[in-house]
Amino acid sequence: STRTIVRDLGRVGIGLGLMLLSLHILLDTLAPAENAPNVRTLLTAATAMPALNILFGAALAWAAHSSVAVVLLVSSLAYSHFITPDVAIALVLGANVGSAINPLLEGGALGNASARRLPLGNLINRLVGCAIVLPFLHPISEAMRALDSNPVRLVADFHTLFNVALAAVFIVPLPAVAKALEWLLPEPPVSRDAAAPL
């Protein structure tokens, strides 16, 4: 009904507003630390390895149950120049992987392996995408900076382009991947006992 749609849209608006408010407060809190040399040194050391950045981004997205929240956080950190564009892109890659872990762990019935086909396919899709992009982090960040030097736009644009590119690339081998997942996670055997509970 119309009332339900309005209520749901209101909830979405409140959720987005609270998320943006929390990021604004986070930026205000981090502002004094921006000029502290120890913070810069710590962040430089913590973000020196792209693979660790991907793992960190995946852990954040898994914990938050949302890649969008992590992408917004990465945008805020990039805007404040706490992280470089290369690190921001690696964290966004990780956020995409992390958001695919929760459906695999929590979705579907435990006894029905076939219910995990879609989440597993999604996770494989994102892992392959990360493996393809990881060696080219620096050239990609340079190309993205050439298009738009705004770090917030760079993060958002990369997130969008990564997901669109994954969809475009994986649409071709989709039938083969589906068959492989059906073989890997078959339907549970059907009980032939007429007295067995359904």
Side-chain angles (χ1 to χ4, degrees):
S1 71
T2 306
R3 183 176 176 188
T4 305
I5 292 171
V6 170
R7 185 182 329 143
D8 290 343
L9 287 175
R11 289 177 178 167
V12 169
I14 290 170
L16 285 173
L18 288 173
M19 192 182 305
L20 292 172
L21 175 64
S22 65
L23 287 171
H24 180 70
I25 293 169
L26 176 68
L27 277 178
D28 287 345
T29 305
L30 292 175
E34 188 174 348
N35 297 321
N38 292 339
V39 173
R40 291 271 176 217
T41 305
L42 179 64
L43 278 173
T44 302
T47 58
M49 297 183 65
L52 287 178
N53 294 329
I54 291 175
L55 288 175
F56 185 60
L60 283 175
W62 171 78
H65 282 62
S66 170
S67 62
V68 174
V70 176
V71 169
L72 288 172
L73 175 63
V74 171
S75 296
S76 298
L77 293 173
Y79 177 76
S80 298
H81 302 290
F82 274 97
I83 56 176
T84 65
D86 292 19
V87 173
I89 288 175
L91 288 169
V92 170
L93 288 174
N96 279 280
V97 171
S99 66
I101 294 172
N102 286 316
L104 182 64
L105 297 178
E106 299 167 4
L110 290 175
N112 186 358
S114 63
R116 299 194 185 276
R117 288 179 192 156
L118 182 61
L120 180 60
N122 185 35
L123 180 61
I124 290 169
N125 177 1
R126 291 170 189 271
L127 287 172
V128 169
C130 285
I132 291 170
V133 171
L134 184 59
F136 306 104
L137 274 181
H138 187 67
I140 289 172
S141 71
E142 289 297 319
M144 297 294 292
R145 285 170 68 185
L147 289 174
D148 193 342
S149 60
N150 183 342
V152 174
R153 290 300 307 261
L154 183 145
V155 171
D157 290 345
F158 175 77
H159 180 60
T160 303
L161 288 173
F162 178 73
N163 284 285
V164 169
L166 277 185
V169 167
F170 265 83
I171 199 78
V172 174
L174 191 59
V177 172
K179 284 191 182 298
L181 288 170
E182 286 173 4
W183 173 79
L184 185 64
L185 300 167
E187 292 284 346
V190 178
S191 173
R192 300 191 180 279
D193 184 5
L198 298 177

